[in-house]
Amino acid sequence: MDGEPSCSLGTVVCVITGASRGLGRSLAWELCPRVMPGSALLLVARTEQALRVLAEELTLQYPEIRVRWVAADLGTEDGVRRAVQGAQELNGGDTAQRVLIINNAGSLGDIDKSFVDFTDPLEMDRYFSFNVSSALCLTSSLLKVFQGRPGLQRHVVNVSSLAAIQPFKSWTLYCAGKAAREMMFRVLAEEETDIRVLSYSPGPLDNDMQEEVRTKTKDPELRLQFANMKKSGKLIDCRVSARKMLDVLQADAYKSGDHVDFYD
Ligand code: NDP
């Protein structure tokens, strides 16, 4: 597969959120050729049909990997609970060499508004519940499911964004959510020094989320900037960015908790 060393991540148990499309789907495809037979993968998102098809396609190509899926809304307590239950049923944690928890699911929120338009606390609560709280609760619950032991390397990935460290007009919720998530995972890195924590910023991707950025961003300059990136072919293919993320994990040369960008 594109010159990648085969099975180089060893026996892996992996949970990917937001796996139904975009970067998460590409991460699933890029991960499989890098893991050993006996590895297991749990795909989580809301869209059952997309997860089912992806799981079937992966199983056809990689029959030696156990691929399971859970259709769950991570913006709800029940959704998080069902994702954790899916991970418990996945098994494999006792024999795996690595556990990989990839917090990829995310949403832009209302990007057609300015800061001063946000007056409804419930709207914010809903946004942060999915984009921040669920990433914390899911990760902490999964770390309890996959307890540390000698010979097991645990990795937690936070799919981040430039918006975590730079303000963008019209993106109040998105920037705040990404910044909060990143700090949250930096605390994990400080507390649990045996866990490798990575905040990966995938770059501007050529996918559904970018289309929303181009069409809905309230600030005209920013909208134009992303439209021009699309026009001039500067958006990044999801599989290319997914590959880069797995290369970073595999090379293991980052400081735990750090923000690593696609362009680094
Ligand atoms: P997409 O919008 O293409 O995919 C988002 C994924 O999250 C989908 O699989 C979606 O599945 C899932 N999702 C959305 N809401 C929920 C929910 N409530 N519960 C469970 N799953 C949910 O986005 P990307 O692939 O681009 O985004 C992946 C990550 O990359 C995000 O964290 C994003 O912020 C980040 N990122 C993206 C950039 C870009 O240019 N696209 C740039 C920088 C960072 P479903 O609808 O089936 O639930």
Side-chain angles (χ1 to χ4, degrees), residues 18 20-21 23 46-47 73-74 104 174 178 205 207 210:
S20 60
R21 59 189 148 93
L23 183 66
R46 291 168 304 180
T47 314
D73 182 347
L74 293 174
N104 166 72
Y174 190 66
K178 287 298 188 194
L205 303 170
N207 68 357
Q210 270 294 327

Side-chain angles (χ1 to χ4, degrees), residues 15 17 74 80 83-84 103 133-143:
V15 178
T17 67
L74 293 174
V80 174
V84 174
N103 291 284
S133 313
S134 83
L136 169 57
C137 298
L138 181 66
T139 303
S140 56
S141 303
L142 292 179
L143 289 173

